[in-house]
Structure formats: C-alpha cells, structure tokens
Amino acid sequence: MKFRLLPLTLLAVFGLAVAAGPDYPLDAPAPDGRRPGGTITQEFTPPPLKDEENKDLKRERNYPEQPPTIPHTIRGYQVDTNGNKCLACHSRANSARTQAPMISITHFTDRDSQTLGAVAPRRYFCTQCHVVQHDVKPLVQNDFENIDDLLYHENKQNEQ
Ligand code: HEC
Ligand code: HEC
C-alpha cells in the first residue's frame, strides 16, 4: 500500500466503526447510583438544586483530615487565574479583618513539603476539596463509622 493512502484507509475504517453505533443495548438498565431507575440512554429531568445552607455553623468532621465543609454560601464567588474570592477573606493577610479562619499551614506546603509564602498551587482551587453544606440525605448509602464509634464497639467486644 502506498503510504499516502494511509489517512484515507484510516478514515474509512473509523467511519465504519462510528456507523456501527454503540456496542451496548440502548435499553440496558442504568446502574442504581445517584440516579436510580431508567435506562442508560434515558434522560430525566434533574431534581431542583437545594439551596446552600448559610448558618455559619461548623459541622462535625468524620475524621481529622477531612476538609471542613463550608458553613456559608459561596454563590458567585469566583476562583480562577485572575483572582480567588475565598482568599479575599481566608488568606493570612485578610483573616484578621474579615474574622474568617485562616487557611491552615498545610495549605502553604507544596508537594515537596516546602512551606511557601502564600497558598500552594495545589490548594488554590478551594472547592476541589471544600464543599458547601446542604440539608440532604446521602445520595449513596454507606456504613461508615467514625473512629470514636469504632473504638467504642471494639472495647465493648473486648469486655465480653
Ligand atoms: C466574605 C468573607 C468570606 C469569603 C469570601 C469566604 N469565606 Fe469562608 N468563611 C468566612 C467566615 C467569616 C467563616 C467563619 C464561619 C462563618 O462565619 O460562616 C468562614 C468559614 C469557612 C470554612 C469553615 C472552616 C472551619 O474550620 O470549619 C470553610 C471551609 C470556608 N469558609 C471555605 C471558604 C471557601 C472555599 C470560600 C470560597 C469559595 C470562602 N470560604 C469564601 C468568610 C468568608
Ligand atoms: C487538596 C484539598 C484542599 C484544597 C484545594 C483546599 N483545602 Fe482547605 N482544607 C483541606 C483539609 C484536608 C483541611 C483540614 C486539615 C488541614 O487543616 O489541612 C482544610 C482546612 C481548611 C480550613 C480550616 C483551617 C483551620 O485551621 O481549621 C480553612 C478555613 C480552609 N481549609 C480554607 C481553604 C481555602 C480558602 C482554600 C482555597 C484557597 C482551600 N482551603 C483549599 C483541604 C483543602
């Protein structure tokens, strides 16, 4: 085969593959996850978004390393290359004026364990880890137990 025919051949092969369509049944039941019921290809009207809680109340953390949930609304707070609205209140320099808790020391540490003078790039996009609070039930059931409950049950077992 001449080499310059290669693109044409590739195009023909891929064209055929696309024309063949998906290789899964269109009416396959969707996995019962966040959106229970229906089939994979079926579109549902999503449920309305719940309002963010704005109560200024901390929630218990499930484990010490858990990023605390955000106890205030963040609607309209922009975080991009030009600015970070969160740091307007939570940075070292601004936290005294705003009385927002300062980002902790871990947020200044880069991946080589070097402590920087400002927020580390890997901590810049706050909502990658911190989420707002909603009054909703867990989407997926789980049997997570926090460490206090675990230890309590273990002690109970040892006593028996
Ligand atoms: C206008 C100032 C302001 C802005 C902007 C702001 N915060 Fe806050 N934040 C606060 C204050 C004040 C608190 C203390 C609790 C309260 O009053 O809600 C707080 C609390 C928090 C907490 C809880 C800390 C803890 O120890 O439980 C988190 C997490 C947080 N903010 C994250 C964010 C993120 C992420 C953004 C940006 C999307 C942001 N904040 C933007 C003022 C602000
Ligand atoms: C990679 C995940 C991650 C990112 C990104 C991140 N945080 Fe955190 N944050 C955490 C974790 C985990 C904790 C709790 C443990 C700790 O302090 O490191 C925390 C704690 C905090 C606290 C509580 C501090 C304290 O002393 O109690 C505040 C406030 C906060 N973060 C704000 C922010 C803001 C503002 C940003 C964006 C500039 C941000 N975080 C980005 C993971 C993250």
Side-chain angles (χ1 to χ4, degrees):
M1 186 178 66
K2 282 215 182 93
F3 210 62
R4 59 198 160 88
L5 284 183
L6 190 65
L8 266 183
T9 321
L10 282 178
L11 208 69
V13 171
F14 280 119
L16 275 180
V18 170
D23 56 359
Y24 53 84
L26 290 177
D27 55 353
D32 267 346
R34 293 168 167 221
R35 192 198 73 163
T39 65
I40 290 180
T41 51
Q42 209 174 347
E43 273 188 38
F44 289 163
T45 314
L49 290 177
K50 284 265 187 177
D51 276 340
E52 297 168 353
E53 275 186 14
N54 197 17
K55 298 183 180 164
D56 300 334
L57 287 177
K58 286 185 189 182
R59 284 196 184 169
E60 183 188 320
R61 299 188 210 182
N62 290 317
Y63 46 92
E65 306 89 342
Q66 184 191 324
T69 51
I70 308 171
H72 55 73
T73 175
I74 58 165
R75 197 157 290 163
Y77 289 180
Q78 198 87 8
V79 176
D80 57 27
T81 45
N82 300 319
N84 184 319
K85 179 71 179 168
C86 313
L87 290 174
C89 290
H90 286 281
S91 72
R92 181 195 61 79
N94 294 337
S95 65
R97 181 176 48 81
T98 58
Q99 289 296 300
M102 188 188 93
I103 50 170
S104 65
I105 183 65
T106 56
H107 294 49
F108 292 84
T109 312
D110 70 9
R111 63 178 176 187
D112 301 317
S113 305
Q114 290 294 312
T115 305
L116 311 176
V119 66
R122 60 177 185 162
R123 299 279 183 157
Y124 185 80
F125 293 103
C126 317
T127 48
Q128 205 178 312
C129 303
H130 296 279
V131 294
V132 284
Q133 302 173 350
H134 287 112
D135 185 16
V136 288
K137 294 205 175 73
L139 285 170
V140 180
Q141 282 309 316
N142 69 82
D143 51 14
F144 176 84
E145 272 187 273
N146 72 37
I147 188 68
D148 299 331
D149 293 340
L150 269 180
L151 291 176
Y152 177 78
H153 290 142
E154 208 174 81
N155 287 341
K156 275 268 167 174
Q157 263 168 9
N158 291 344
E159 277 167 21
Q160 280 162 9

